Amino acid sequence: MKGKKTIDTFSDYMNDEARVSPADRERINFEIALIGKMIEAREQRGMSQRELAEISGVKQPAIARLESMRTTPQIDTLFKVLHPLGYTIEIVPLRQVE
Amino acid sequence: MKGKKTIDTFSDYMNDEARVSPADRERINFEIALIGKMIEAREQRGMSQRELAEISGVKQPAIARLESMRTTPQIDTLFKVLHPLGYTIEIVPLRQVE
DNA sequence: ACTCTTGATAATAAATATGTTATCACAGGC
DNA sequence: GCCTGTGATAACATATTTATTATCAAGAGT
C-alpha cells in the first residue's frame, strides 16, 4: 500500500491536494497563524481569558472557542479581543511564493 | 439650543462620547478603513463583484453586503475575498495616538 | 485535603452571516 | 430605444457565531 490506508498526520492531510485544495490550505494556515498570534498576544500580557473577556467585552467561552479554533471569528470580534492587547488587524499585500 | 435637537452629521454622531464610546468609535473606524481597502483592492484590479465572486467562492450578494457594510465578515470570508486580489490580513501592533 | 484559578465545554437562545435565486435601477455603448 | 454589465437588494433557507449561565477537570499553591 502506498499510504492510502495508513493513518495520516495532520501535515500529510493538509498537503494532499486530493483532499485539501491549495486555496483551502492557504486559508487554513492563515487562520492557524492568526489565532496563534492572538493567543501569544494574550499570554505575553499575562492575561487570562477571563480578564480579557472583562476588558474586551467578548465572553470567556467565546474566547475559548476562538483560541481552540472551534469557531471562526468575525472581524469585529477579533478586533475587540486584539485591541486591548495592543494589536489591530491590517490588510497587507501577499508575500509571494513563501 | 446647543445642538441637542439639531440633526447631526455622521461625524458629529461618532464623536459624541455620550452616544458612541471611544472603543466603539475605534472599532467602527477600523471597519470602515478595512472595507475601504477591500473595495479599493478590487477596483484597482478592475474586477467586478461578479468576477470576484467567481474566483473567490464568495457569492456576489455577500460581497455587495460586505462592501456596503450591511454585514460584518468572518475572517475566513474576508480572506477568501482578499486573497485572489493579492492581499491578506495580518495582526500588527497598534500605532499609538494616531 | 482544600482552595483557587485556569481553559474548556455543555445547553439553550438570540443574533448574524452566508447561500441561493431572482430582480431592480442605473449607466454606457450601440 | 435597446442591450449589457454594474452594484444593490429582496426573500427565504441554512449555517454559524455569540451571549448566557453553569459547570468541569487539571494544575498550582497552601
Side-chain angles (χ1 to χ4, degrees):
Chain A
M1 297 85 178
K2 292 292 284 306
K4 274 293 181 189
K5 295 204 166 90
T6 63
I7 296 175
D8 281 7
T9 62
F10 175 70
S11 199
D12 287 338
Y13 179 84
M14 283 290 292
N15 288 312
D16 184 350
E17 284 209 16
R19 289 183 290 185
V20 180
S21 75
D24 282 344
R25 172 168 46 251
E26 290 201 64
R27 198 192 69 252
I28 292 168
N29 285 334
F30 155 76
E31 287 183 31
I32 292 172
L34 197 80
I35 300 302
K37 276 200 88 172
M38 180 179 118
I39 297 173
E40 267 182 44
R42 179 177 63 80
E43 291 181 341
Q44 275 172 10
R45 299 287 184 285
M47 204 175 292
S48 70
Q49 290 182 353
R50 266 174 248 269
E51 291 178 86
L52 182 53
E54 195 109 9
I55 60 176
S56 70
V58 179
K59 302 294 175 187
Q60 181 268 330
I63 295 175
R65 281 186 299 244
L66 293 193
E67 291 192 355
S68 51
M69 296 192 66
R70 244 174 261 85
T71 57
T72 302
Q74 294 174 233
I75 59 168
D76 61 335
T77 303
L78 186 59
F79 183 85
K80 283 189 223 169
V81 167
L82 287 176
H83 201 257
L85 296 171
Y87 290 93
T88 187
I89 315 166
E90 266 185 17
I91 293 179
V92 297
L94 268 176
R95 290 174 296 104
Q96 62 273 40
V97 196
E98 85 185 60
Chain B
M1 293 89 176
K2 294 290 286 301
K4 274 293 181 191
K5 293 204 167 88
T6 65
I7 295 174
D8 280 8
T9 64
F10 176 70
S11 199
D12 286 337
Y13 180 83
M14 283 292 291
N15 288 313
D16 184 351
E17 284 208 15
R19 289 183 291 187
V20 181
S21 74
D24 282 343
R25 173 168 43 252
E26 290 201 64
R27 199 193 68 253
I28 292 168
N29 286 333
F30 154 77
E31 287 183 31
I32 291 172
L34 197 80
I35 300 302
K37 276 200 88 171
M38 182 180 117
I39 297 174
E40 266 182 44
R42 179 177 64 79
E43 291 182 341
Q44 275 173 11
R45 298 288 184 284
M47 203 176 292
S48 70
Q49 289 181 355
R50 267 174 246 268
E51 291 178 84
L52 182 54
E54 195 111 8
I55 60 176
S56 70
V58 179
K59 302 294 176 187
Q60 181 267 331
I63 294 176
R65 281 187 296 241
L66 293 193
E67 292 193 353
S68 51
M69 295 193 69
R70 242 172 262 86
T71 58
T72 302
Q74 294 176 234
I75 59 169
D76 61 336
T77 303
L78 186 58
F79 182 85
K80 282 187 221 170
V81 167
L82 287 176
H83 200 257
L85 296 172
Y87 289 92
T88 187
I89 315 167
E90 266 184 19
I91 293 178
V92 298
L94 268 177
R95 290 174 294 105
Q96 63 273 41
V97 196
E98 84 185 60

